[in-house]
Amino acid sequence: MADKRIDEPTGTPTVGHEWDGIEELDTPMPRWWLWTLYLTIVWGVVYVVLYPAWPLVDRATEGVLGWSSRGELAEEMSVVDQARTTIREELARIPVERLPENSELFAQAVAGGRSAFQVHCSQCHGSGAAGSQTLGYPNLNDDDWLWGGDLKAIEYTLVNGIRAPGVDDTRTSIMPPFAGAFERSQLDALVNHVLSLDGRGTSSSAGAQTYRDNCSACHGVAGEGNRELGAPRLNDAIWLYGNSPADIRAQILDPRMGRMPHWSGRLDPVTIKMLSAYVWSLGGGEELVEVAENPTVEVDAEP
């Protein structure tokens, strides 16, 4: 432009315009900056040629390398799926009670079971498997088990459920209601005897007799319970529906008995096996105890 001139103090030409006596110098960009700009342009052109870049209607330009983040993810997932398939095949072959013999496979089973537990079991038993005494969902972290806490017993419970309708082999125990069966003094004596079984109350001969006549056949003479019948222990500090005198009285008069769905047909056998391993690993799992195929249950039949 005709108005351009050389700024005398700096020797730099001006851009040719001024405002209120103020002019702008036409200072050239540093060489390193220009070369960086040129290199980024070249890099951009190369990237557009080699990799997906321009979006189209239903896809993007593929690039001469044929690479995509989706394709890379698919390859990685394929590797993971193959590893998972291998583990599941191994789990399908090994009996659940022998899982602890293979520490690596057992760890994989516990990890898979933990994920399955959060999806299928945490709604009732809680995310930490602590259960809910208010709602009657058992705590799976302790060592109190109605039907046994070894891997085979836990797997059986998961497969067949507890009082699950339409399942022939479901776990079943029934406590009869005793409403109207006792006078008030008899009921109070019975509650005190039950409290005495875990050291919290004082028993009487009347309470002990009422217990022997009505309760010992299932719960045992000393309140030790009976797993073959699903009768809970009464001589420890673990109670499903509360351990106050009022809770015990309510359970005697009108028993609450929960249900657990059966998972056979809903979950595949390997997932059930992993769930068994996870529940067993929570802290209350027991060693396998072999029992007779048709065990005989002895009860105290004394009047």
Side-chain angles (χ1 to χ4, degrees):
M1 296 179 63
D3 294 337
K4 286 187 176 183
R5 68 180 187 81
I6 303 297
D7 180 60
E8 292 183 2
T10 62
T12 304
T14 63
V15 296
H17 60 262
E18 66 87 21
W19 182 81
D20 198 18
I22 300 174
E23 295 179 289
E24 182 181 358
L25 299 179
D26 191 10
T27 303
M29 299 299 296
R31 290 290 180 183
W32 67 265
W33 191 94
L34 288 174
W35 281 113
T36 301
L37 174 63
Y38 299 150
L39 286 174
T40 56
I41 293 173
V42 173
W43 180 88
V45 172
V46 172
Y47 185 94
V48 168
V49 173
L50 296 180
Y51 296 97
W54 293 98
L56 304 176
V57 175
D58 58 350
R59 57 187 178 87
T61 54
E62 296 181 357
V64 297
L65 294 181
W67 177 93
S68 70
S69 58
R70 291 184 178 181
E72 184 178 41
L73 175 62
E75 292 179 4
E76 293 176 354
M77 292 300 296
S78 177
V79 173
V80 172
D81 289 341
Q82 182 59 45
R84 184 182 294 120
T85 299
T86 301
I87 292 171
R88 291 182 68 87
E89 289 174 350
E90 293 181 17
L91 286 171
R93 288 193 294 267
I94 188 171
V96 68
E97 66 272 17
R98 292 184 55 194
L99 265 177
E101 299 174 10
N102 187 329
S103 58
E104 183 177 350
L105 187 61
F106 180 74
Q108 294 285 353
V110 170
R114 181 182 297 109
S115 298
F117 185 92
Q118 297 303 323
V119 175
H120 302 288
C121 312
S122 62
Q123 294 84 351
C124 294
H125 293 286
S127 59
S132 171
Q133 192 175 83
T134 303
L135 299 175
Y137 300 134
N139 183 351
L140 303 179
N141 297 286
D142 58 38
D143 57 0
D144 219 33
W145 300 88
L146 286 181
W147 283 282
D150 62 67
L151 281 163
K152 284 183 69 174
I154 295 171
E155 183 185 48
Y156 185 96
T157 300
L158 287 168
V159 169
N160 297 289
I162 298 172
R163 303 181 187 89
V167 181
D168 293 338
D169 295 325
T170 190
R171 302 281 200 190
T172 302
S173 64
I174 299 176
M175 176 174 171
F178 286 93
F182 305 125
E183 296 179 359
R184 179 59 184 266
S185 60
Q186 286 181 299
L187 180 60
D188 291 341
L190 177 58
V191 170
N192 286 331
H193 179 76
V194 172
L195 288 170
S196 74
L197 293 175
D198 66 359
R200 293 183 299 124
T202 302
S203 179
S204 65
S205 58
Q209 186 63 48
T210 302
Y211 178 87
R212 283 195 300 270
D213 292 344
N214 298 276
C215 312
S216 63
C218 294
H219 294 286
V221 175
E224 67 273 18
N226 188 322
R227 289 183 174 180
E228 296 302 326
L229 301 177
R233 289 181 60 183
L234 304 178
N235 60 2
D236 61 16
I238 301 173
W239 296 77
L240 183 57
Y241 293 105
N243 63 351
S244 70
D247 292 328
I248 296 172
R249 182 178 289 105
Q251 189 67 7
I252 292 172
L253 297 177
D254 186 17
R256 288 181 287 173
M257 292 173 285
R259 288 184 178 181
M260 174 180 158
H262 68 97
W263 293 103
S264 176
R266 305 183 186 190
L267 298 177
D268 61 88
V270 171
T271 300
I272 292 176
K273 193 174 293 185
M274 290 191 294
L275 273 170
S276 303
Y278 173 68
V279 172
W280 188 82
S281 73
L282 290 174
E286 302 172 334
E287 297 298 325
L288 176 65
V289 178
E290 296 291 348
V291 298
E293 189 172 330
N294 295 304
T296 300
V297 180
E298 296 184 2
V299 297
D300 184 1
E302 293 181 4

